[in-house]
Amino acid sequence: ACDMQMQWITLGSEGWKDEVGPTYGAPGKEITAVMPSFGSVLTEEEIRQVAAFERSFIAEGAADAVLADCGL
């Protein structure tokens, strides 16, 4: 869901490990790469937009459904 992806973007990989745990996405998929936290750089609206972009274009989700799921 978009909420989880927005949390990932906000926290980054290290923050995610601290708050959520050592895996993300596919069950049991361990986080091995480092992604910076964007929570202090982007607004909530910008984080929603990034998540919607990733879910719509990179993951090829249906645009209308993705936008609604991300609150846009």
Side-chain angles (χ1 to χ4, degrees), residues 11 13 30 36 43 48-49 54 59 62 65:
L11 296 174
S13 57
E30 187 175 347
T43 66
R48 287 181 184 284
Q49 291 169 347
E54 291 174 348

Side-chain angles (χ1 to χ4, degrees), residues 1-9 16 24-25:
C2 194
D3 288 344
M4 184 179 283
Q5 189 145 4
M6 291 183 334
Q7 185 179 13
W8 171 261
I9 295 165
W16 182 274
Y24 178 79

